[in-house]
Amino acid sequence: MKSLFDPLVLNEIENRINKLSTDSSAAWGKMNVSQMLHHCQFPLKTALKKNPLTLKPNFLAKLFFKKSMYNDKPWRKNLPTHSKLKVVKTKEFTPEREILLELVAKFSNHRDKKEWEPHPIFGKFTNEQWGQLQYKHLDHHLQQFDV
């Protein structure tokens, strides 16, 4: 599984984000491109402890879905999104893209971090799993917008 901690993968993700435009349309889902850029910030902010959202641990999610967060199997299209992570308000494309790119870069700078705070829903992840999780989430949504 690819990881956002790999410099080549980081470059790939940054290039794909930069290929998006205000005209990019989704192959599935309800979000427009600006909302998707904002949505993709949530997991990065969570890892970097910049997320004001309070999410409760979920034993069933941890038991049944945790491994799917970082394994090689792609996520299904139109998976349900936690209500606190849905973006329904209008967002501006350029600032959202710049914030996302900044968060991606900041997260990737933690490639040597040994101890992470537990994920608020899924609990403890290793450094390797955090990098894979972030890549998988970004890849899923970039595929949603055909980049």
Side-chain angles (χ1 to χ4, degrees):
M1 170 53 102
K2 290 183 178 182
S3 169
L4 205 52
F5 291 137
D6 179 331
L8 294 174
V9 173
L10 170 64
N11 188 46
E12 168 204 325
I13 289 292
E14 290 171 335
N15 288 337
R16 290 169 67 190
I17 292 169
N18 281 317
K19 286 181 181 176
L20 293 166
S21 73
T22 55
D23 296 329
S24 298
S25 59
W28 72 84
K30 298 177 183 176
M31 292 184 287
N32 66 34
V33 67
S34 300
Q35 292 168 324
M36 178 275 290
L37 290 167
H38 186 79
H39 168 80
C40 285
Q41 296 169 24
F42 290 134
L44 293 158
K45 286 179 178 179
T46 297
L48 296 168
K49 296 313 241 180
K50 296 177 185 263
N51 194 346
L53 296 174
T54 52
L55 303 172
K56 294 179 182 176
N58 184 316
F59 176 75
L60 292 176
K62 197 177 194 181
L63 183 66
F64 293 109
F65 300 111
K66 184 176 179 179
K67 287 183 182 177
S68 73
M69 302 305 288
Y70 55 84
N71 67 17
D72 285 326
K73 186 177 179 186
W75 291 335
R76 285 185 300 118
K77 298 173 183 176
N78 291 311
L79 282 173
T81 301
H82 190 289
S83 61
K84 290 189 177 183
L85 304 178
K86 288 183 180 180
V87 181
V88 293
K89 293 183 181 177
T90 303
K91 298 292 177 183
E92 292 185 41
F93 177 81
T94 301
E96 295 300 336
R97 181 174 60 186
E98 294 308 312
I99 292 167
L100 180 58
L101 286 166
E102 181 181 319
L103 288 167
V104 166
K106 283 182 180 178
F107 176 82
S108 71
N109 286 334
H110 291 278
R111 66 181 49 88
D112 296 322
K113 188 171 181 171
K114 301 292 182 216
E115 290 292 321
W116 291 83
E117 292 291 321
H119 187 280
I121 295 174
F122 297 104
K124 189 172 173 94
F125 284 117
T126 66
N127 187 326
E128 180 182 19
Q129 291 166 343
W130 271 110
Q132 292 166 338
L133 160 70
Q134 298 298 345
Y135 171 79
K136 189 169 184 176
H137 185 250
L138 289 167
D139 178 62
H140 174 76
H141 286 293
L142 292 171
Q143 286 184 37
Q144 179 184 11
F145 284 84
D146 294 322
V147 294

